[in-house]
Amino acid sequence: MPADLDDTALEALLFPRAPALVATHAPLDCGYLHQEIKRPGMTLMLLWEE
């Protein structure tokens, strides 16, 4: 290990910061969801995956 590597630099190399999360999401189209959930075999889980 290099002598000039301090604790802060070592921690930054071992544990990089996570990327920033997306602050905004697209608004839900409730009319579309209501229409799609009426289809046979459609579940909320399938809609969520889309």
Side-chain angles (χ1 to χ4, degrees):
M1 196 162 74
D4 61 339
L5 190 65
D6 63 350
D7 288 341
T8 306
L10 179 61
E11 183 177 349
L13 288 173
L14 292 175
F15 307 106
R17 291 187 178 247
L21 298 176
V22 176
T24 59
H25 295 280
L28 293 176
D29 184 0
C30 293
Y32 171 77
L33 293 175
H34 190 269
Q35 179 183 359
E36 287 294 309
I37 200 69
K38 290 180 181 179
R39 293 176 41 201
M42 183 58 69
T43 64
L44 287 176
M45 184 60 76
L46 289 174
L47 286 172
W48 177 262
E49 288 177 1
E50 286 183 4

